[in-house]
Structures are given as C-alpha cells and as structure tokens.
Amino acid sequence: MSKFYARRRVSILAALTGLIASAALFNSPSASAALPTPVSAATARTYLASLTVATEDRTGYDRDLFPHWITQSGTCNTREVVLKRDGTNVVQDSACAATSGSWYSVYDGATWTAASDLDIDHLVPLAEAWDSGAGGWTTSRRQAFANDLTRPQLIAVTDNVNQAKGDQDPATWMPSRTAYRCTYVRAWVQVKYYYGLSVDSAEKSALTTYLASC
C-alpha cells in the first residue's frame, strides 16, 4: 500500500470515528433536551455582576399580559416547536400535535413517551420576569420573551416538576438533578441579562454560589 493511500485510509477512519462519536452524543439522554446552549460560567458571572439588584414588585401581574404559545410556522405554535426540538423520534399530526416520541426531562431525569406528561417551562418564569422589570415592557416585548426560542428560555420538562417550580427563582428552587444545575443558572443569568431584568439580593446570592462551582 502506498503512503498516499495509507494516509487517506487513516483520514477516512478518523472521520468515521468522529461521526460515530457525534451520533452517540446526539442520541444520549443529555442531548435529548435541546435548550440553546447558555453562555459559559465565566460569562455568566460577568453578566450577573452587572445586573441591577432590586426588590421584586408583582403589582399588576397577569399571565395573560405575556401572550404565549403563538404560531411559529404553519400550524405549529411555540409549545409544539419545543416538543419537537427537545424530543427524540417525535411524530406530529397535520395539526402539529405530537402523537408519539420520547422526551428526557433534564430537571429530574425522567423519560416520557406522551407529550401530555410534559410542560414547556419558562426557565425564567413569567411572573418572575414581571417582578424584575417586565411590568414596564410593551406587550410585544413580553410576547417575545414568552416565546423566545433563541435564548435558553424554553425547555420541555416533566409537568409536575414544572408546576412545583412555579414562579420560584434559584434562591428557593433548583432542578433535583445536580448535574443540570450549572446549565440552569448559566441560562437564568443569560436570559435576565439579555432582557435587562433585575435580581433580588437572595437570588443574586444563590446564583453567585452556584456559579462559583461551575
């Protein structure tokens, strides 16, 4: 075998090995939830240091002030887009409803095969956003926040876990899977920074502690 063909064979084998490794990573449980990758811990710490610290104010909050699950394309609304994005082998009907698939909930480590067992979590809850500045936004900005597929703000998780979280911030609630907590706080800070939202003192303290161990 010539040196040229030997090198070529090695290159092809290396490429195939890389593709196989990539496929394995994509199909692993941790890759099933496709939350947009949040900023690094170092960047999150920088962002957190710049956030305004203020007391929360819920005066006037109403969930309906955040138009959510708007149509994204065709017949698909935001919930259906996230279910498709975060699941494995998701099949949708003509109305875009998920009829089958598998979803791994990164908050608690549970796997589900029925879309009805999942909620789409607003990582920074709508009420929390209102408390920390969204009360002064226009309706269009609140709509953008409630349907943001670009920032790490929406993720499919076990429904009762999402309901237990409610509107709590990291000072009082964190995912039970400790392996996901670093991702969670990085995403939280990124979303708050992007939207210019404030943090309260307990929230900042908790975020600082979690980020220090990332």
Side-chain angles (χ1 to χ4, degrees):
M1 183 184 295
S2 70
K3 290 183 178 179
F4 171 77
Y5 285 107
R7 287 196 300 268
R8 185 179 180 190
R9 184 178 180 184
V10 170
S11 296
I12 292 171
L13 287 172
L16 287 172
T17 301
L19 286 172
I20 292 168
S22 296
L25 177 62
F26 182 78
N27 289 314
S28 68
S30 61
S32 297
L35 182 81
T37 303
V39 297
S40 68
T43 299
R45 286 190 286 268
T46 299
Y47 284 178
L48 179 59
S50 72
L51 296 182
T52 299
V53 178
T55 302
E56 295 183 349
D57 180 5
R58 190 162 299 186
T59 305
Y61 171 71
D62 186 326
R63 186 175 174 84
D64 291 339
L65 294 171
F66 291 81
H68 51 286
W69 307 165
I70 62 171
T71 299
Q72 292 288 347
S73 63
T75 60
C76 299
N77 66 26
T78 306
R79 172 183 164 82
E80 291 151 350
V81 169
V82 177
L83 283 172
K84 176 71 172 179
R85 183 199 71 185
D86 288 5
T88 301
N89 299 323
V90 177
V91 176
Q92 295 173 306
D93 62 21
S94 59
C96 209
T99 57
S100 64
S102 176
W103 291 267
Y104 177 76
S105 172
V106 292
Y107 285 1
D108 59 328
T111 298
W112 304 98
T113 56
S116 59
D117 288 321
L118 297 139
D119 280 353
I120 307 304
D121 181 40
H122 288 98
L123 195 136
V124 174
L126 304 183
E128 168 68 25
W130 180 275
D131 295 351
S132 50
W137 292 354
T138 62
T139 298
S140 62
R141 185 162 177 78
R142 287 194 290 266
Q143 176 175 292
F145 177 84
N147 298 275
D148 192 345
L149 296 169
T150 303
R151 262 63 55 182
Q153 165 65 349
L154 298 173
I155 187 168
V157 296
T158 303
D159 54 3
N160 61 354
V161 171
N162 181 55
Q163 290 152 25
K165 171 187 171 180
D167 58 9
Q168 298 179 81
D169 68 34
T172 55
W173 188 91
M174 286 290 285
S176 60
R177 280 188 67 239
T178 56
Y180 198 72
R181 290 179 177 178
C182 183
T183 300
Y184 186 82
V185 293
R186 285 158 46 212
W188 183 283
V189 172
Q190 180 180 347
V191 171
K192 283 226 160 176
Y193 178 83
Y194 179 83
Y195 283 98
L197 296 169
S198 63
V199 290
D200 64 37
S201 57
E203 176 187 356
K204 182 173 183 177
S205 178
L207 290 166
T208 299
T209 299
Y210 285 115
L211 284 172
S213 62
C214 284

